[in-house]
Amino acid sequence: MQSRRDEILAKRAKLAELKRQRELRASQTTGGRPSIGSPGEIVAPTPGRNSRHDIEALINTLVGESRPGSTTGGAGSPGPRGSRPNSVLSAGELSNETSEYAIASAAGQTVAAPPAPPAPPLIMTTIPSTTVFQCPPSPVKEVFSYSKAVQTTGEWATPNRTRAHSLSDSEDLPGVTSTPNKRQSRRERDREEELRQNIRKEVEEELKAAREGPKDGAAQPESQSVNYPLRKLTDEELDAVTASDEFSGFLDKATKVIERALDQEYDVLTDYALQGQDVEDEDEDSGNTGGKGRHRVKEVAQFFDERWTKKRMISSIDFSPHFPELMLASYTKNPTAPHEPDGLVLVWSLGLHDRPEFVFHAQSDVLTAKFSPHHRNLIVGGSYSGQVLLWDTRVKSGAPVQKTPLTGYGHTHPIYSVDIVGTQNANNIISCSTDGVVCGWSMEVFAQPQELLELKAPPAYKIEDVSPTSMAFPQADPTFFLVGSEEGSIFPCHRYDRAGAKAGIDTRFSYKGHTAPVMSVDFHPARGPVDLGDLVLSSSLDWSVRLWKVRAPAATSTAGNEGAVSPLLDFVREDVVYDAKWSPIKPGVFALVDGAGWLELWDITVETEEPVARISPSARKDGRAMLSKSLNKLAWEPTEGKRLATGGIDGTLTVFEVASGLGGRDDLKAEEWTNVKKLVNRVEAVGVNGAMMV
Amino acid sequence: MVDPISISGHDALDEKLTRLSKKPGVKATVVLDRATGAILRTNGQLSNLISTAAAALKSPTDGGSFSSEAGATQNGESHGFEEFTRKVWTWVNASGGLVEEFDTEDELKLLRLRTKKQELVIVPDAKYLLILVHDTPPA
């Protein structure tokens, strides 16, 4: 800074010297001139041409370096003004100066001649240049040529007569200036000066800021904060944003994520060393538990949604084969909410306690629903109206992506059971309605069934019609299945004609034992060293669960077989039994739910008279007191077999966890399989009573 | 049953946020615009987001006027809230920048900021931000 100031001082001194010389010369020349005016002006430049050149060159150097130097033209005029320090001129002074100058020239001051008014040259160039650059696409020919002409004369006439800073706005012959233009020119010039001034100010401010920058660095973000938020949204904008699909989609996703985050019970920051005294054995006594030791059952979660599940009943439950924490429950309609969809399937996650992960709906009560074992996004369901429905978790609306028609082609009666059979690459949906129609559907085509089977009771029965209430496929054979009927019998059925039997109910034999509608049929999952795949559990409204051994479907009828197979074992309970399911892992374990609201766990290798554990879901506080306990359905988690879920009349889905004796792979022994097999063989040989006596 | 079949538009959105704020310990939820930081939705108690001491430090100029005390506190409250969202917003942007500096293909998905007193859970999206403040479980 200091060096620069010195430089400027030196230059100023030089300039003063030059001015003095010029003044001298001026007095000489004006002496010979009587008056001044436009003609005088034309002549004026000539005398001191050479010396003026010098001066101007100098001024140029000055001006090139410091912007304030632009005023030197004015200051260059004689008189007291010459002594003014031109580099310190402020805007006010500047404009003053020019006006003074104008007045002076108007008054005909003799001294005005040599430093030809800077104004005229400016105007001559700026106006045309603006027109040229501002409206280049103008189609009018005249304007174009005119401005061009002016520009060229202005530009090229005297480029060396530069008086102010840049070439463009200084060159001209002062003499050419005509008086009418003068006023305009002055205005123009003023504007120019103002602009320059502004630029100067800005630069100065920037410099100042740069100098002060390090000192008030903290202030910078503060000033930024004034700008936050960049702008306040108006109400309309807010409405527009919040009404957008994108926004609601985001909110849906984000709230789910946050709820999951909050539902995480484990605190990663827990410091166990900090709290020595209040160690409570939460595992043993707190919460809702049943059974003891290896056969303990504990309630781990309950799912209920005020809006969706109130006053609905759970009609089926299924665990996802792909995600062990996901399960679905299908619901019947809520009679008090006629505007809500009748049918509902909710997908719950153990990681999200207070709301379902997905909500799917249907126009009619959903009576059964299942995750597709082959596709993680698909859910198949059956409705009261007789439709098979397909939902996709990728579809946001929750409406079924496919549904079968309500025509004679498919079902016209309620579908209480649906299954997906086959392999990854070739699978079918099999649905069964209460009028005895069994349909096979392709996953892709729902317009009409690929196969349709009408079940007819064997001739021995009084009524030809069969009303299936449940259906079950064995693990190994997708062409053979059992159907539990309303009348109490369980019928073996074939999907296709085969040796010795036509498609439909196998008329040669049936499984008779239940005296009331059969509510469930379940094949043994049979994944072990011993094949137990022919064991079947059935539950019924006659207060019992029965264990059957089914005959191989291909077996030709043996002689003397008169159609009735009796159960191996009879588990008589204290209430109607709605569902019974084998454990997917433990060969001897099964669970049942009854009308009194009990979940019972049995292990036939341990005990065939009493359950090894029983538990009832804890009642919800605001639930109905009467007739709300009954449990309709139960499901095992298929991969580990440690969790099971129950649901019933009050629409609450309850998840239980069982100890090692009832589920899980940790405590699995090979002899359990052989024990079951032995038991079955014994019972087969001597009957139940004989088995108990041994 | 009061619920109509389709709780549409705002009600449905509000329902989601109120459901969140009804969870135990949740103090407030805020939805911001990711690009501008403009506040789109708020829910819950906003006053105690920034502790009173910090708020007092922030607005010493407001202290002098006793004439409109209620208005002043209101102002201070909303100011403190704005202050809070601004800070969170800049912080999220900074984190997002950091992630992108490591790997331009990468993207910020979730932020949890646990302090002694509370926890911020933030879900950033391409266009929006959801911020939730809740008390940390005593442990």
Side-chain angles (χ1 to χ4, degrees):
Chain A
M1 239 24 220
Q2 186 56 44
S3 63
R4 200 187 138 108
R5 212 165 289 155
D6 291 341
E7 219 175 278
I8 291 170
L9 273 174
K11 273 174 187 161
R12 206 179 295 154
K14 214 170 170 185
L15 190 69
E17 166 103 30
L18 279 164
K19 262 180 220 152
R20 227 176 301 124
Q21 284 178 8
R22 194 160 57 174
E23 248 168 282
L24 261 170
R25 254 193 316 259
S27 61
Q28 285 167 8
T29 40
T30 41
R33 254 197 300 165
S35 70
I36 184 168
S38 34
E41 267 179 281
I42 304 172
V43 195
T46 27
R49 187 129 202 158
N50 284 342
S51 55
R52 265 250 313 269
H53 260 308
D54 292 345
I55 297 168
E56 270 161 11
L58 180 79
I59 289 170
N60 267 345
T61 58
L62 278 176
V63 162
E65 277 169 64
S66 73
R67 204 159 297 166
S70 63
T71 50
T72 43
S77 50
R81 262 177 272 141
S83 65
R84 215 177 264 186
N86 46 20
S87 64
V88 220
L89 283 179
S90 72
E93 283 171 308
L94 230 165
S95 56
N96 271 348
E97 185 142 20
T98 48
S99 60
E100 270 171 49
Y101 170 76
I103 293 159
S105 63
Q109 253 189 26
T110 46
V111 271
L122 285 177
I123 172 251
M124 284 309 279
T125 52
T126 40
I127 289 178
S129 69
T130 45
T131 33
V132 165
F133 293 127
Q134 270 174 2
C135 43
S138 167
V140 187
K141 216 174 180 179
E142 291 169 17
V143 174
F144 178 71
S145 60
Y146 165 76
S147 50
K148 195 176 175 186
V150 172
Q151 188 184 30
T152 41
T153 50
E155 282 260 14
W156 299 105
T158 48
N160 55 341
R161 302 216 57 197
T162 311
R163 132 151 303 242
H165 349 264
S166 66
L167 228 109
S168 61
D169 59 4
S170 59
E171 77 295 328
D172 204 74
L173 291 165
V176 188
T177 344
S178 50
T179 15
N181 275 354
K182 223 163 196 171
R183 199 166 303 152
Q184 205 186 352
S185 80
R186 223 178 64 203
R187 234 183 294 136
E188 205 65 34
R189 206 183 73 135
D190 284 355
R191 219 182 61 191
E192 198 90 1
E193 288 293 346
E194 220 172 293
L195 262 168
R196 242 170 255 153
Q197 205 58 30
N198 286 345
I199 294 172
R200 191 181 108 171
K201 263 193 221 155
E202 268 174 37
V203 171
E204 269 171 13
E205 260 166 9
E206 262 174 40
L207 272 171
K208 210 163 121 190
R211 241 177 287 139
E212 289 170 2
K215 268 176 259 164
D216 60 359
Q220 204 99 1
E222 213 50 34
S223 69
Q224 213 174 42
S225 82
V226 181
N227 284 341
Y228 174 86
L230 294 184
R231 64 199 177 85
K232 273 242 160 70
L233 295 179
T234 64
D235 284 351
E236 292 90 57
E237 282 175 309
L238 212 66
D239 282 351
V241 170
T242 51
S244 69
D245 282 352
E246 213 174 353
F247 183 74
S248 67
F250 158 74
L251 215 57
D252 204 38
K253 234 172 42 192
T255 52
K256 223 180 254 182
V257 168
I258 286 195
E259 276 190 52
R260 276 185 217 143
L262 295 190
D263 283 344
Q264 238 174 20
E265 268 156 27
Y266 181 69
D267 183 3
V268 286
L269 290 179
T270 308
D271 188 347
Y272 294 105
L274 274 185
Q275 27 173 339
Q277 67 270 36
D278 55 343
V279 174
E280 45 184 274
D281 200 345
E282 210 179 293
D283 247 15
E284 276 314 310
D285 295 315
S286 68
N288 183 9
T289 59
K292 282 200 181 83
R294 291 176 68 241
H295 299 137
R296 236 164 49 85
V297 193
K298 190 185 174 201
E299 183 181 310
V300 289
Q302 268 196 322
F303 297 104
F304 183 85
D305 186 280
E306 193 60 32
R307 177 177 174 209
W308 291 115
T309 71
K310 207 174 183 179
K311 305 222 163 130
R312 293 179 191 262
M313 291 189 287
I314 287 182
S315 53
S316 74
I317 304 170
D318 191 30
F319 273 88
S320 166
H322 308 284
F323 308 99
E325 70 276 12
L326 287 190
M327 67 208 95
L328 67 74
S330 65
Y331 297 84
T332 61
K333 74 163 147 279
N334 175 356
T336 59
H339 300 300
E340 296 271 359
D342 277 359
L344 206 61
V345 175
L346 303 184
V347 178
W348 298 94
S349 163
L350 284 173
L352 188 60
H353 297 177
D354 292 341
R355 66 191 266 195
E357 281 279 347
F358 298 105
V359 178
F360 300 109
H361 47 78
Q363 287 162 340
S364 172
D365 300 38
V366 180
L367 301 177
T368 177
K370 247 183 147 66
F371 285 103
S372 162
H374 309 298
H375 198 303
R376 57 180 59 190
N377 294 115
L378 298 183
I379 292 169
V380 177
S383 77
Y384 190 82
S385 62
Q387 283 173 303
V388 178
L389 306 156
L390 184 73
W391 293 277
D392 192 322
T393 53
R394 294 164 295 187
V395 174
K396 266 190 191 162
S397 69
V401 290
Q402 284 216 75
K403 49 189 172 189
T404 60
L406 281 169
T407 61
Y409 288 124
H411 297 284
T412 49
H413 279 65
I415 300 170
Y416 274 95
S417 48
V418 175
D419 209 345
I420 297 156
V421 296
T423 61
Q424 176 76 45
N425 295 323
N427 49 63
N428 286 105
I429 300 168
I430 307 291
S431 59
C432 172
S433 60
T434 53
D435 57 349
V437 172
V438 174
C439 290
W441 310 83
S442 134
M443 273 306 211
E444 287 78 34
V445 185
F446 271 43
Q448 67 177 63
Q450 288 196 321
E451 53 194 83
L452 192 145
L453 206 61
E454 234 174 300
L455 303 182
K456 293 283 176 216
Y461 287 79
K462 277 183 207 148
I463 309 162
E464 201 189 28
D465 291 328
V466 179
S467 7
T469 51
S470 55
M471 171 181 73
F473 279 85
Q475 297 298 310
D477 190 354
T479 65
F480 171 75
F481 58 94
L482 290 183
V483 158
S485 76
E486 221 162 64
E487 157 267 350
S489 299
I490 298 168
F491 298 107
C493 307
H494 303 283
R495 273 170 76 191
Y496 310 110
D497 291 342
R498 65 164 86 209
K502 284 199 163 245
I505 288 181
D506 193 327
T507 51
R508 293 166 298 177
F509 52 88
S510 60
Y511 302 93
K512 279 189 171 176
H514 287 299
T515 53
V518 177
M519 297 311 289
S520 78
V521 185
D522 188 36
F523 272 93
H524 198 282
R527 270 177 264 163
V530 182
D531 182 17
L532 300 170
D534 55 354
L535 295 184
V536 169
L537 269 185
S538 67
S539 65
S540 161
L541 298 185
D542 67 357
W543 298 27
S544 73
V545 171
R546 281 160 211 250
L547 174 68
W548 310 83
K549 183 170 179 174
V550 295
R551 303 185 179 190
T556 47
S557 55
T558 47
N561 168 15
E562 274 329 303
V565 181
S566 2
L568 290 179
L569 280 172
D570 223 342
F571 309 97
V572 180
R573 301 312 310 139
E574 292 130 23
D575 208 311
V576 291
V577 184
Y578 283 112
D579 203 0
K581 290 265 166 68
W582 291 106
S583 158
I585 303 297
K586 294 273 180 185
V589 173
F590 71 89
L592 66 87
V593 286
D594 68 15
W598 286 104
L599 163 70
E600 294 185 341
L601 286 143
W602 291 70
D603 189 342
I604 53 171
T605 59
V606 173
E607 175 65 70
T608 53
E609 290 288 298
E610 284 289 322
V612 290
R614 69 200 306 239
I615 188 172
S616 189
S618 51
R620 285 168 18 80
K621 285 184 198 90
D622 51 342
R624 282 175 294 167
M626 295 292 291
L627 296 171
S628 64
K629 297 193 73 174
S630 172
L631 292 177
N632 285 349
K633 289 289 172 187
L634 94 108
W636 287 89
E637 190 273 307
T639 48
E640 280 293 314
K642 280 188 84 73
R643 279 197 296 271
L644 42 84
T646 65
I649 271 183
D650 67 346
T652 309
L653 185 70
T654 313
V655 181
F656 299 93
E657 204 164 271
V658 294
S660 61
L662 293 170
R665 297 178 189 276
D666 319 328
D667 202 10
L668 201 55
K669 299 182 201 83
E671 58 256 38
E672 286 178 48
W673 296 85
T674 46
N675 284 350
V676 175
K677 189 75 187 168
K678 271 184 206 158
L679 173 78
V680 168
N681 288 341
R682 203 163 56 215
V683 172
E684 235 181 337
V686 289
V688 180
N689 291 333
M692 292 335 290
M693 283 189 290
V694 174
Chain B
M1 209 69 183
V2 196
D3 287 336
I5 169 163
S6 56
I7 300 186
S8 58
H10 288 217
D11 298 337
L13 298 180
D14 278 337
E15 191 234 320
K16 278 169 195 151
L17 285 179
T18 30
R19 178 210 282 281
L20 266 187
S21 55
K22 269 186 199 151
K23 289 198 155 247
V26 173
K27 282 186 188 162
T29 53
V30 192
V31 185
L32 297 185
D33 190 288
R34 178 103 191 246
T36 64
I39 299 168
L40 300 177
R41 262 322 147 89
T42 61
N43 213 322
Q45 270 205 308
L46 316 174
S47 53
N48 44 8
L49 284 177
I50 294 181
S51 76
T52 45
L57 274 177
K58 273 277 171 260
S59 53
T61 47
D62 294 359
S65 65
F66 292 100
S67 51
S68 58
E69 210 158 70
T73 48
Q74 273 257 308
N75 255 340
E77 189 171 298
S78 73
H79 178 73
F81 181 61
E82 209 159 88
E83 190 71 15
F84 167 81
T85 53
R86 180 180 68 75
K87 288 191 163 136
V88 173
W89 182 65
T90 35
W91 176 59
V92 172
N93 283 343
S95 326
L98 175 82
V99 170
E100 274 193 15
E101 271 174 43
F102 289 147
D103 183 356
T104 47
E105 307 272 287
D106 213 347
E107 195 189 323
L108 190 66
K109 298 298 272 184
L110 178 69
L111 280 171
R112 296 185 80 161
L113 177 67
R114 184 76 77 86
T115 65
K116 198 168 146 194
K117 290 181 178 169
Q118 59 191 19
E119 184 183 44
L120 304 188
V121 188
I122 300 166
V123 185
D125 190 69
K127 292 190 80 172
Y128 310 103
L129 271 183
L130 177 57
I131 304 167
L132 179 135
V133 189
H134 74 114
D135 289 319
T136 39

Short mmCIF file of all heavy atoms in Angstrom, two decimals, chain A residues 130-159:
data_model
loop_
_atom_site.label_atom_id
_atom_site.label_comp_id
_atom_site.label_asym_id
_atom_site.label_seq_id
_atom_site.Cartn_x
_atom_site.Cartn_y
_atom_site.Cartn_z
N THR A 130 -24.33 1.03 -27.96
CA THR A 130 -25.41 0.34 -27.26
C THR A 130 -26.45 -0.14 -28.25
O THR A 130 -26.94 -1.24 -28.15
CB THR A 130 -26.07 1.24 -26.20
OG1 THR A 130 -26.27 2.52 -26.81
CG2 THR A 130 -25.22 1.35 -24.98
N THR A 131 -26.77 0.71 -29.19
CA THR A 131 -27.80 0.28 -30.13
C THR A 131 -27.35 -0.96 -30.88
O THR A 131 -28.11 -1.89 -31.06
CB THR A 131 -28.14 1.38 -31.15
OG1 THR A 131 -26.97 2.12 -31.41
CG2 THR A 131 -29.23 2.28 -30.64
N VAL A 132 -26.13 -0.96 -31.25
CA VAL A 132 -25.64 -2.10 -32.00
C VAL A 132 -25.74 -3.38 -31.19
O VAL A 132 -26.26 -4.38 -31.62
CB VAL A 132 -24.18 -1.87 -32.43
CG1 VAL A 132 -23.58 -3.20 -32.89
CG2 VAL A 132 -24.13 -0.86 -33.54
N PHE A 133 -25.27 -3.29 -29.98
CA PHE A 133 -25.22 -4.52 -29.22
C PHE A 133 -26.54 -4.92 -28.62
O PHE A 133 -26.78 -6.06 -28.31
CB PHE A 133 -24.17 -4.39 -28.11
CG PHE A 133 -22.79 -4.28 -28.67
CD1 PHE A 133 -21.95 -3.23 -28.31
CD2 PHE A 133 -22.34 -5.22 -29.60
CE1 PHE A 133 -20.68 -3.15 -28.84
CE2 PHE A 133 -21.08 -5.12 -30.12
CZ PHE A 133 -20.25 -4.08 -29.76
N GLN A 134 -27.41 -3.90 -28.47
CA GLN A 134 -28.65 -4.27 -27.81
C GLN A 134 -29.65 -4.88 -28.76
O GLN A 134 -30.47 -5.68 -28.37
CB GLN A 134 -29.26 -3.05 -27.14
CG GLN A 134 -28.75 -2.93 -25.71
CD GLN A 134 -29.22 -1.67 -25.06
OE1 GLN A 134 -29.96 -0.91 -25.68
NE2 GLN A 134 -28.81 -1.44 -23.84
N CYS A 135 -29.62 -4.41 -30.00
CA CYS A 135 -30.61 -5.00 -30.91
C CYS A 135 -29.94 -5.51 -32.19
O CYS A 135 -30.16 -4.99 -33.26
CB CYS A 135 -31.71 -4.01 -31.26
SG CYS A 135 -31.10 -2.37 -31.60
N PRO A 136 -29.11 -6.49 -32.02
CA PRO A 136 -28.49 -7.05 -33.21
C PRO A 136 -29.48 -7.76 -34.13
O PRO A 136 -29.29 -7.76 -35.33
CB PRO A 136 -27.45 -8.03 -32.66
CG PRO A 136 -27.79 -8.23 -31.24
CD PRO A 136 -28.67 -7.13 -30.80
N PRO A 137 -30.52 -8.36 -33.59
CA PRO A 137 -31.38 -9.10 -34.52
C PRO A 137 -32.38 -8.20 -35.24
O PRO A 137 -33.25 -8.70 -35.91
CB PRO A 137 -32.11 -10.09 -33.60
CG PRO A 137 -32.12 -9.43 -32.28
CD PRO A 137 -31.01 -8.46 -32.24
N SER A 138 -32.26 -6.90 -35.03
CA SER A 138 -33.21 -6.01 -35.66
C SER A 138 -33.21 -6.21 -37.18
O SER A 138 -32.17 -6.18 -37.83
CB SER A 138 -32.85 -4.55 -35.35
OG SER A 138 -33.57 -3.70 -36.17
N PRO A 139 -34.39 -6.39 -37.73
CA PRO A 139 -34.47 -6.66 -39.16
C PRO A 139 -34.44 -5.38 -40.00
O PRO A 139 -34.34 -5.43 -41.21
CB PRO A 139 -35.82 -7.37 -39.30
CG PRO A 139 -36.63 -6.88 -38.14
CD PRO A 139 -35.69 -6.39 -37.08
N VAL A 140 -34.59 -4.27 -39.34
CA VAL A 140 -34.66 -3.02 -40.11
C VAL A 140 -33.28 -2.67 -40.66
O VAL A 140 -32.32 -2.53 -39.92
CB VAL A 140 -35.16 -1.88 -39.20
CG1 VAL A 140 -35.38 -0.62 -40.04
CG2 VAL A 140 -36.44 -2.30 -38.51
N LYS A 141 -33.23 -2.53 -41.94
CA LYS A 141 -31.95 -2.36 -42.59
C LYS A 141 -31.32 -1.01 -42.27
O LYS A 141 -30.15 -0.88 -41.99
CB LYS A 141 -32.13 -2.47 -44.10
CG LYS A 141 -30.96 -3.15 -44.79
CD LYS A 141 -31.31 -3.34 -46.23
CE LYS A 141 -30.20 -4.01 -47.00
NZ LYS A 141 -30.60 -4.20 -48.39
N GLU A 142 -32.18 -0.01 -42.30
CA GLU A 142 -31.68 1.35 -42.13
C GLU A 142 -30.95 1.50 -40.81
O GLU A 142 -29.82 2.00 -40.74
CB GLU A 142 -32.83 2.35 -42.17
CG GLU A 142 -33.45 2.48 -43.55
CD GLU A 142 -34.74 3.26 -43.48
OE1 GLU A 142 -34.97 3.95 -42.47
OE2 GLU A 142 -35.52 3.16 -44.43
N VAL A 143 -31.59 1.10 -39.78
CA VAL A 143 -30.99 1.25 -38.47
C VAL A 143 -29.63 0.60 -38.45
O VAL A 143 -28.66 1.15 -37.95
CB VAL A 143 -31.90 0.61 -37.40
CG1 VAL A 143 -31.19 0.64 -36.05
CG2 VAL A 143 -33.23 1.33 -37.34
N PHE A 144 -29.59 -0.53 -39.00
CA PHE A 144 -28.35 -1.28 -38.99
C PHE A 144 -27.22 -0.49 -39.64
O PHE A 144 -26.16 -0.27 -39.06
CB PHE A 144 -28.59 -2.58 -39.74
CG PHE A 144 -27.36 -3.43 -39.84
CD1 PHE A 144 -26.87 -4.06 -38.70
CD2 PHE A 144 -26.70 -3.59 -41.04
CE1 PHE A 144 -25.75 -4.84 -38.79
CE2 PHE A 144 -25.58 -4.37 -41.11
CZ PHE A 144 -25.10 -5.01 -39.99
N SER A 145 -27.50 -0.04 -40.86
CA SER A 145 -26.44 0.66 -41.58
C SER A 145 -26.05 1.95 -40.87
O SER A 145 -24.89 2.28 -40.78
CB SER A 145 -26.91 0.95 -43.01
OG SER A 145 -28.06 1.76 -42.95
N TYR A 146 -27.04 2.61 -40.32
CA TYR A 146 -26.77 3.88 -39.68
C TYR A 146 -25.81 3.68 -38.51
O TYR A 146 -24.76 4.29 -38.43
CB TYR A 146 -28.08 4.51 -39.20
CG TYR A 146 -27.89 5.63 -38.23
CD1 TYR A 146 -27.46 6.89 -38.68
CD2 TYR A 146 -28.09 5.44 -36.88
CE1 TYR A 146 -27.27 7.91 -37.79
CE2 TYR A 146 -27.90 6.45 -35.99
CZ TYR A 146 -27.49 7.70 -36.44
OH TYR A 146 -27.28 8.71 -35.56
N SER A 147 -26.20 2.79 -37.65
CA SER A 147 -25.39 2.63 -36.45
C SER A 147 -24.00 2.16 -36.83
O SER A 147 -23.01 2.54 -36.22
CB SER A 147 -26.06 1.63 -35.51
OG SER A 147 -26.39 0.46 -36.22
N LYS A 148 -23.95 1.39 -37.84
CA LYS A 148 -22.66 0.88 -38.25
C LYS A 148 -21.75 2.04 -38.69
O LYS A 148 -20.60 2.14 -38.30
CB LYS A 148 -22.85 -0.10 -39.40
CG LYS A 148 -21.62 -0.95 -39.65
CD LYS A 148 -21.90 -1.95 -40.73
CE LYS A 148 -20.66 -2.72 -41.07
NZ LYS A 148 -20.90 -3.60 -42.22
N ALA A 149 -22.36 2.90 -39.48
CA ALA A 149 -21.60 4.04 -39.98
C ALA A 149 -21.05 4.86 -38.84
O ALA A 149 -19.86 5.16 -38.78
CB ALA A 149 -22.48 4.88 -40.88
N VAL A 150 -21.90 5.18 -37.92
CA VAL A 150 -21.48 6.02 -36.80
C VAL A 150 -20.39 5.34 -36.02
O VAL A 150 -19.39 5.94 -35.65
CB VAL A 150 -22.68 6.32 -35.90
CG1 VAL A 150 -22.20 7.02 -34.64
CG2 VAL A 150 -23.68 7.19 -36.65
N GLN A 151 -20.63 4.08 -35.85
CA GLN A 151 -19.66 3.36 -35.04
C GLN A 151 -18.28 3.40 -35.70
O GLN A 151 -17.28 3.69 -35.06
CB GLN A 151 -20.10 1.92 -34.91
CG GLN A 151 -19.24 1.17 -33.93
CD GLN A 151 -19.63 -0.29 -33.90
OE1 GLN A 151 -20.09 -0.81 -34.91
NE2 GLN A 151 -19.48 -0.92 -32.77
N THR A 152 -18.26 3.15 -36.98
CA THR A 152 -16.97 3.10 -37.64
C THR A 152 -16.29 4.45 -37.59
O THR A 152 -15.11 4.54 -37.25
CB THR A 152 -17.12 2.64 -39.09
OG1 THR A 152 -18.26 3.29 -39.64
CG2 THR A 152 -17.25 1.15 -39.17
N THR A 153 -17.04 5.50 -37.89
CA THR A 153 -16.38 6.82 -37.85
C THR A 153 -15.86 7.08 -36.46
O THR A 153 -14.74 7.56 -36.28
CB THR A 153 -17.35 7.94 -38.25
OG1 THR A 153 -18.53 7.79 -37.49
CG2 THR A 153 -17.64 7.92 -39.73
N GLY A 154 -16.68 6.77 -35.49
CA GLY A 154 -16.27 7.03 -34.11
C GLY A 154 -15.06 6.20 -33.76
O GLY A 154 -14.10 6.67 -33.14
N GLU A 155 -15.09 4.99 -34.15
CA GLU A 155 -14.05 4.07 -33.70
C GLU A 155 -12.70 4.38 -34.31
O GLU A 155 -11.69 4.38 -33.66
CB GLU A 155 -14.44 2.65 -34.12
CG GLU A 155 -15.48 2.03 -33.22
CD GLU A 155 -14.85 1.11 -32.22
OE1 GLU A 155 -13.63 1.16 -32.06
OE2 GLU A 155 -15.57 0.33 -31.61
N TRP A 156 -12.75 4.61 -35.60
CA TRP A 156 -11.47 4.62 -36.29
C TRP A 156 -10.90 6.01 -36.54
O TRP A 156 -9.78 6.14 -36.97
CB TRP A 156 -11.61 3.91 -37.64
CG TRP A 156 -12.03 2.51 -37.43
CD1 TRP A 156 -13.24 1.96 -37.63
CD2 TRP A 156 -11.19 1.50 -36.91
NE1 TRP A 156 -13.25 0.67 -37.28
CE2 TRP A 156 -11.99 0.34 -36.83
CE3 TRP A 156 -9.85 1.44 -36.49
CZ2 TRP A 156 -11.50 -0.87 -36.35
CZ3 TRP A 156 -9.38 0.24 -36.04
CH2 TRP A 156 -10.19 -0.89 -35.97
N ALA A 157 -11.70 7.03 -36.27
CA ALA A 157 -11.23 8.38 -36.58
C ALA A 157 -9.92 8.69 -35.88
O ALA A 157 -8.90 8.91 -36.54
CB ALA A 157 -12.29 9.40 -36.19
N THR A 158 -9.94 8.70 -34.60
CA THR A 158 -8.71 9.04 -33.88
C THR A 158 -8.52 8.13 -32.68
O THR A 158 -8.78 8.51 -31.56
CB THR A 158 -8.74 10.49 -33.36
OG1 THR A 158 -10.02 10.65 -32.71
CG2 THR A 158 -8.54 11.48 -34.45
N PRO A 159 -8.09 6.98 -32.95
CA PRO A 159 -7.90 6.05 -31.85
C PRO A 159 -6.82 6.52 -30.90
O PRO A 159 -6.82 6.19 -29.73
CB PRO A 159 -7.51 4.74 -32.54
CG PRO A 159 -7.08 5.13 -33.92
CD PRO A 159 -7.73 6.41 -34.25
#
